[in-house]
Amino acid sequence: MAKGEGAESVSSAGLLQPSILKPDELIRSKRESKARLSICSKVCYAIGGAPYQITGCALGFFLQIYLLDVVQLDPFYASIILFVGRAWDAITDPLVGFFISKSSWTCFGRLMPWIVFSTPFGVISYFMIWLVPDISQGQVMWYLFFYCIFQTLVTCFHVPYSALTMFISREQSERDSATAYRMTVEVLGSVLGTAIQGQIVGRVDIPCISDPPFLNTNNSSVVLEEVNITRDTGSLSDTRNAYMIAAGVIGGIYILCATILSLGVRERQESSELQLAEPVSFFQGLKLVMKHGPYIKLIAAFLFTSLAFMLLEGNFALFCTYTLGFRNEFQNVLLAIMLSATLTIPFWQWFLIRFGKKTAVYIGISSATPFLISVVILESNLVMTYVVAVAAGMSVAAAFLLPWSMLPDVVDDFNLQHPDCRGHEAIFFSFYVFFTKFASGVSLGISTLSLDFAGYKTRGCAQPEEVNLTLKILVSAAPVALIIFGLLLFKLYPIDEDRRKKNKKALQDLRDEESNSSTETDSTELASIV
């Protein structure tokens, strides 16, 4: 009797009143308010995506022309560096994903320590890529070594950062909103990478070597070419210094963004899906992930569309410089593309919410094809090139936003179908990046070799017609074919808006059941104490 009276007094005092009145509503309200992210948190999270895009854009647009015309490597060796570096970068993604899955939670989280400790070493290795060593032998090994080291360290930054999407909130709407913030900043980071690298380097003309006029004796022709090379040595030194200055500025931004991310974002362990009594091993999870149909179809479709834009990115500087003849304007054309992409990210975020993600893919990515064709067919015209660049930037924005917006939907679908195998978010993100990077390495290696076979002249003021034709194929015909094939594959992707909403509701019901079960357990323990 005393025990019952004590329970009633506690209830009448109001201590247990909230649980007795509407426990489900109160639990749901508390959970949603806890899962909601502040604008400051979203901005800090988004800023963390800038370093990867800034460095990746600088390397993607400028590394090939840097190796060919500044370091003056043979195109064959440049292709080896580009292919091996990208292939190694692809391999490190699943390896880092594996080690992350084995990491334990610390007071800083499970993912954040990877981001913090990889940053200073990544900045150092990035700077070394843009340094021309004063050695007569071993330049190829120098760039290959530091390119691979940097790709490893930036992977240690970006894979946990990508997986962090699933750990900042358990609410899909909050994750989608944070992803939109992230994509906006990442495209802005690409603009910064293009602007910093392009404007600093663009202020110094890369010296070119004109073909020597025809002379009767071979010796005099050789002497004249040597004179031309000697005359350009001072200007080439200025160009190399400009690349190092740009690398130093980008390295400083890298450190600043990583600091803001680590201080402004809290990694929430409870935001991951329900914890398992017996965690599934990495390789068991990998086997299940690779058998998940929506994931395979999504990465296959985006593999080809991503390759299209990577081919464009890797060869556009050479295309503008030699085929279009805009030697001193190509960095501004690149900047126009990235600025257009940045400004249209909010539009595509609104579009995918209003019309669905699959519709956004079809319209957003396919819109690049007429502009890729026109830039080759139309006569070289600077104004028209800028118009095409701005229009193509809109499609680049869609290609940036949509893969990262749709991957969380696939993860939710997987977690719903495999409730006993969760906690492998890093596998989804790392292997998506793995496939795209590996294929990108192959495509860049092949494209550079194609230029070599076409007769590319290092530091030439003009290129043979075969080189111009090859560049037209690499920035127009090949990307258009890849985009069309990727969109055809995307029709097989099964998660439309109806399925996505059903998955969201089903996952919410699972969380409610576990929350209610936890509440009942707590109430039972409290009753036994009282």
Side-chain angles (χ1 to χ4, degrees):
M1 185 68 181
K3 184 176 181 178
E5 292 174 354
E8 283 183 354
S9 62
V10 173
S11 177
S12 63
L15 296 178
L16 299 181
Q17 194 71 13
S19 298
I20 293 175
L21 289 177
K22 295 182 178 180
D24 294 341
E25 290 82 353
L26 288 169
I27 291 171
R28 186 177 296 109
S29 176
K30 183 178 180 180
R31 184 190 63 245
E32 290 177 353
S33 63
K34 188 176 182 180
R36 191 172 296 116
L37 294 172
S38 66
I39 294 178
C40 181
S41 295
K42 293 178 184 178
V43 171
C44 290
Y45 167 72
I47 288 175
Y52 180 78
Q53 295 301 332
I54 292 175
T55 56
C57 194
L59 290 168
F61 280 127
F62 293 93
L63 183 59
Q64 186 181 49
I65 196 170
Y66 169 77
L67 293 175
L68 293 175
D69 287 356
V70 179
V71 184
Q72 302 179 53
L73 291 179
D74 184 272
F76 174 76
Y77 294 116
S79 68
I80 291 178
I81 293 171
L82 293 172
F83 167 69
V84 175
R86 287 294 185 105
W88 175 252
D89 184 23
I91 294 172
T92 57
D93 282 285
L95 289 177
V96 172
F98 169 76
F99 289 117
I100 288 175
S101 69
K102 295 296 183 180
S103 301
S104 301
W105 281 88
T106 67
C107 58
F108 302 105
R110 182 157 65 102
L111 304 175
M112 200 63 73
W114 287 82
I115 295 172
V116 172
F117 289 115
S118 65
T119 295
F121 302 104
V123 171
I124 294 172
S125 59
Y126 177 78
F127 182 81
M128 302 305 285
I129 293 174
W130 302 105
L131 174 68
V132 180
D134 188 16
I135 53 177
S136 57
Q137 300 292 331
Q139 280 190 334
V140 174
M141 293 305 300
W142 171 282
Y143 290 107
L144 186 60
F145 174 78
F146 282 109
Y147 191 31
C148 290
I149 289 295
F150 171 73
Q151 297 290 12
T152 302
L153 292 167
V154 80
T155 297
C156 291
F157 181 102
H158 192 249
V159 169
Y161 172 76
S162 300
L164 190 62
T165 307
M166 304 300 295
F167 291 88
I168 57 176
S169 176
R170 62 196 292 175
E171 294 297 320
Q172 186 184 68
S173 60
E174 292 298 306
R175 296 201 303 257
D176 286 346
S177 177
T179 299
Y181 276 81
R182 169 191 166 188
M183 291 301 107
T184 302
V185 174
E186 286 196 358
V187 177
L188 182 60
S190 299
V191 173
L192 283 175
T194 306
I196 293 171
Q197 191 87 5
Q199 297 305 313
I200 293 177
V201 172
R203 293 179 180 274
V204 181
D205 292 334
I206 299 177
C208 64
I209 302 174
S210 302
D211 291 333
F214 177 77
L215 296 177
N216 292 329
T217 62
N218 291 332
N219 290 336
S220 59
S221 176
V222 172
V223 170
L224 180 57
E225 185 171 352
E226 289 178 351
V227 170
N228 286 338
I229 295 175
T230 305
R231 184 187 62 196
D232 289 332
T233 301
S235 181
L236 184 61
S237 176
D238 294 338
T239 303
R240 292 174 175 176
N241 291 335
Y243 273 98
M244 287 191 290
I245 293 172
V249 173
I250 290 176
I253 296 175
Y254 192 129
I255 294 174
L256 177 62
C257 293
T259 303
I260 293 174
L261 172 66
S262 60
L263 295 179
V265 176
R266 185 168 71 91
E267 183 180 348
R268 304 169 185 266
Q269 184 173 7
E270 70 275 7
S271 293
S272 63
E273 293 301 325
L274 310 177
Q275 298 299 309
L276 304 178
E278 295 183 4
V280 177
S281 69
F282 174 85
F283 292 104
Q284 288 176 315
L286 176 60
K287 185 178 179 181
L288 288 173
V289 167
M290 289 305 164
K291 289 183 177 179
H292 191 57
Y295 180 64
I296 297 300
K297 293 169 184 175
L298 182 69
I299 62 175
F302 277 124
L303 171 64
F304 289 95
T305 55
S306 298
L307 275 178
F309 290 100
M310 289 176 184
L311 270 179
L312 179 65
E313 176 188 71
N315 296 281
F316 197 72
L318 291 172
F319 176 75
C320 287
T321 300
Y322 294 112
T323 305
L324 299 182
F326 304 144
R327 176 173 290 272
N328 297 321
E329 284 289 336
F330 78 88
Q331 68 272 10
N332 296 324
V333 176
L334 297 178
L335 186 58
I337 293 175
M338 303 316 299
L339 278 174
S340 173
T342 302
L343 295 175
T344 51
I345 280 283
F347 166 77
W348 288 117
Q349 175 64 16
W350 168 83
F351 190 94
L352 67 86
I353 294 174
R354 178 67 177 82
F355 299 101
K357 297 179 181 180
K358 291 190 72 172
T359 304
V361 168
Y362 292 133
I363 295 178
I365 295 180
S366 63
S367 63
T369 54
F371 303 107
L372 292 177
I373 295 172
S374 62
V375 76
V376 171
I377 294 178
L378 297 179
E379 185 178 351
S380 177
N381 182 285
L382 184 59
V383 175
M384 185 61 193
T385 302
Y386 275 108
V387 173
V388 171
V390 172
M394 297 179 64
S395 187
V396 171
F400 262 85
L401 174 65
L402 291 166
W404 298 110
S405 179
M406 299 174 78
L407 272 174
D409 297 339
V410 175
V411 176
D412 286 342
D413 188 79
F414 176 85
N415 288 334
L416 192 61
Q417 294 188 25
H418 303 279
D420 295 330
C421 180
R422 290 184 290 262
H424 294 291
E425 291 81 4
I427 296 178
F428 285 93
F429 289 90
S430 62
F431 271 89
Y432 167 73
V433 178
F434 165 78
F435 288 117
T436 55
K437 285 182 178 179
F438 185 82
S440 171
V442 173
S443 66
L444 281 177
I446 292 176
S447 65
T448 310
L449 280 177
S450 300
L451 294 174
D452 188 23
F453 293 145
Y456 180 86
K457 296 180 179 180
T458 301
R459 292 178 60 201
C461 293
Q463 297 293 340
E465 186 59 33
E466 292 80 3
V467 172
N468 292 327
L469 176 61
T470 302
L471 288 171
K472 289 180 180 180
I473 294 174
L474 292 174
V475 302
S476 180
V480 168
L482 289 168
I483 287 174
I484 294 173
F485 189 67
L487 292 179
L488 290 175
L489 286 177
F490 194 79
K491 290 184 68 68
L492 303 175
Y493 177 67
I495 303 180
D496 54 15
E497 285 302 296
D498 290 338
R499 179 166 171 177
R500 186 181 69 84
K501 291 177 181 178
K502 290 178 181 178
N503 287 347
K504 178 181 178 180
K505 185 179 184 302
L507 283 172
Q508 191 63 60
D509 292 339
L510 281 177
R511 297 189 188 108
D512 290 341
E513 289 178 8
E514 180 153 295
S515 297
N516 292 337
S517 175
S518 177
T519 302
E520 290 174 2
T521 302
D522 293 341
S523 300
T524 302
E525 293 177 355
L526 179 60
S528 64
I529 294 173
V530 174

